[in-house]
Amino acid sequence: ETGVTQSPTHLIKTRGQQVTLRCSSQSGHNTVSWYQQALGQGPQFIFQYYREEENGRGNFPPRFSGLQFPNYSSELNVNALELDDSALYLCASSPRWGSGANVLTFGAGSRLTVL
Amino acid sequence: QKEVEQDPGPLSVPEGAIVSLNCTYSNSAFQYFMWYRQYSRKGPELLMYTYSSGNKEDGRFTAQVDKSSKYISLFIRDSQPSDSATYLCAMSALDNNNDMRFGAGTRLTVKP
């Protein structure tokens, strides 16, 4: 059974650019969530995808968007990057929509630096 | 005031010590309480998951929840160098994983 895999591991962008981060969910999981973890802070919920639709969103502006594909993998897109977007972006998957936190599996994250 | 407060440390203890990690919160609707461990360059992994008030034990780890005081704790007995990591508390009002609120994390170092 494979876990949650994310790519790229690290990337550097400049302010105003756009970035796409990718996530493959754990085998058997159909729901994907994205979190932003700024340095020295806990993860903050961005949004969740189930059945290829956004299903729940945290306090993030529309320039944060996502996709989920039929194979349950997912992308996080951030437009018009700002310096404060520098963070570790975590993807997490769960077996089904509405699952509790006890079955949420996190990936190792993508470290984004915005200069 | 943040919804979940957690002392960021860092906390350094000798091997074999009992470690106490704590979080306070302000939202009385929280009913599900979690502790995650995050090693450097890794994602968080769930350690303990509890519902409402009370204690839960799993090996060397004990989680306590006091809803009347809005205070949760994680105790680590016989701490090991491999326990060195950042510990994050998290909580939610519903038993789903898209509404969790995390603390900032406490960095723990266990010295041999």
Side-chain angles (χ1 to χ4, degrees):
Chain A
E1 177 180 281
T2 57
V4 176
T5 57
Q6 294 187 241
S7 63
T9 306
H10 297 86
L11 71 167
I12 299 174
K13 294 284 188 178
T14 56
R15 196 168 47 181
Q17 285 189 312
Q18 178 265 344
V19 68
T20 297
L21 308 177
R22 295 178 176 82
C23 171
S24 294
S25 59
Q26 181 168 313
S27 177
H29 287 192
N30 63 17
T31 302
V32 174
S33 304
W34 286 92
Y35 289 79
Q36 180 196 66
Q37 187 175 20
L39 193 63
Q41 300 297 316
Q44 279 193 288
F45 175 69
I46 303 175
F47 44 54
Q48 183 178 73
Y49 275 82
Y50 171 68
R51 290 187 174 177
E52 303 175 45
E53 292 189 356
E54 186 180 294
N55 174 53
R57 188 179 185 95
N59 189 25
F60 281 82
R63 60 190 185 83
F64 286 78
S65 63
L67 285 172
Q68 186 182 32
F69 301 99
N71 67 353
Y72 308 128
S73 65
S74 178
E75 286 182 356
L76 165 65
N77 298 289
V78 187
N79 293 322
L81 285 167
E82 301 177 359
L83 298 179
D84 284 349
D85 295 334
S86 295
L88 180 69
Y89 288 85
L90 294 163
C91 173
S93 70
S94 52
R96 63 188 184 282
W97 177 78
S99 299
N102 58 331
V103 292
L104 190 66
T105 304
F106 282 89
S110 293
R111 171 76 61 188
L112 171 65
T113 301
V114 182
L115 302 177
Chain B
Q1 183 188 10
K2 290 183 179 179
E3 203 167 20
V4 180
E5 297 275 5
Q6 183 176 9
D7 186 340
L11 182 61
S12 181
V13 301
E15 183 175 354
I18 296 175
V19 176
S20 173
L21 304 168
N22 311 292
C23 288
T24 59
Y25 62 94
S26 58
N27 188 344
S28 58
F30 289 146
Q31 297 190 82
Y32 297 88
F33 303 93
M34 286 71 69
W35 285 96
Y36 286 84
R37 177 173 62 196
Q38 187 172 23
Y39 291 115
S40 180
R41 303 180 192 281
K42 299 287 188 182
E45 59 175 325
L46 184 67
L47 277 177
M48 301 290 281
Y49 174 75
T50 56
Y51 169 70
S52 194
S53 286
N55 294 355
K56 184 174 183 178
E57 187 173 321
D58 184 1
R60 296 185 295 111
F61 299 90
T62 299
Q64 288 186 352
V65 175
D66 182 348
K67 289 185 69 179
S68 63
S69 302
K70 297 189 179 66
Y71 187 87
I72 70 170
S73 301
L74 177 70
F75 297 95
I76 307 174
R77 291 183 298 280
D78 186 25
S79 56
Q80 303 294 310
S82 60
D83 294 328
S84 298
T86 296
Y87 289 80
L88 298 155
C89 65
M91 45 200 79
S92 64
L94 302 173
D95 190 22
N96 64 56
N97 54 51
N98 68 3
D99 192 29
M100 294 195 299
R101 308 301 169 90
F102 283 83
T106 300
R107 178 178 287 184
L108 171 68
T109 300
V110 180
K111 296 185 175 180

